[in-house]
Amino acid sequence: MGGGRAAVEGAKHVLVETWEALPRVVIDRECQSFHEKLQMVILCARYNNFNG
């Protein structure tokens, strides 16, 4: 059981390191892109045809 917990903690550590290593401009761009796509889905009443 302890091995699973160690694996989870190790994964958390890697995730935090990866996140902190990302340049701020990349994070901002991806978050804005997500927001824009979400707004398009909401406006299209869930009939999201903006990718195809």
Side-chain angles (χ1 to χ4, degrees):
M1 247 190 237
R5 184 175 300 264
V8 169
E9 291 302 318
K12 285 181 186 178
H13 179 72
V14 169
L15 183 60
V16 168
E17 282 185 344
T18 302
W19 178 260
E20 290 176 350
L22 285 172
R24 182 65 190 196
V25 67
V26 172
I27 296 168
D28 290 345
R29 182 183 66 229
E30 294 304 318
C31 289
Q32 184 62 33
S33 174
F34 174 80
H35 175 73
E36 290 168 357
K37 289 178 181 177
L38 177 60
Q39 290 301 319
M40 290 175 77
V41 170
I42 292 168
L43 289 173
C44 294
R46 295 182 308 270
Y47 298 108
N48 58 348
N49 193 19
F50 57 89
N51 283 327

